[in-house]
Amino acid sequence: MDEQPEPVILHLYCRVDVVVTDSAAVTGHAVADLRSAGIDWPAEEDDLDTAGEELRGSPTASLASVADISRLVENIPGVEFRGGHCWAESGPVREAFPTR
């Protein structure tokens, strides 16, 4: 039999710079994603309309809500996505991520 070695857990740190050329498209996509998420709205602090308005008012929050970092390692043999964190910010680059 061919035994597989123990899996190795690695940390992949990423910074991705994007240019948003159509804020309305981004926020519209985020709102549509929110509507299809199957959230139990009565159990939440706000409602779908309020949450949608928050996303429409913030392209940054909208982009962060729909960015799928699990796809960064998609189709790489022998690699399985375990979890991670994705966020979006506007403004100057953080010191931990120097500009090239």
Side-chain angles (χ1 to χ4, degrees), residues 22-36:
D22 187 345
S23 293
V26 172
T27 58
H29 181 76
V31 170
D33 196 53
L34 183 66
R35 288 187 188 283
S36 67

Side-chain angles (χ1 to χ4, degrees), residues 36-92:
S36 67
I39 295 171
D40 180 15
W41 287 107
E44 296 295 319
E45 286 184 24
D46 56 3
D47 57 25
L48 177 60
D49 291 334
T50 303
E53 285 305 313
E54 289 174 8
L55 288 175
R56 282 187 193 91
S58 175
T60 302
S62 294
L63 179 60
S65 74
V66 296
D68 184 359
I69 62 173
S70 67
R71 297 187 71 189
L72 289 172
V73 295
E74 191 173 63
N75 299 320
I76 299 175
V79 178
E80 176 183 329
F81 182 77
R82 269 178 66 123
H85 180 70
C86 183
W87 74 98
E89 295 179 352
S90 59

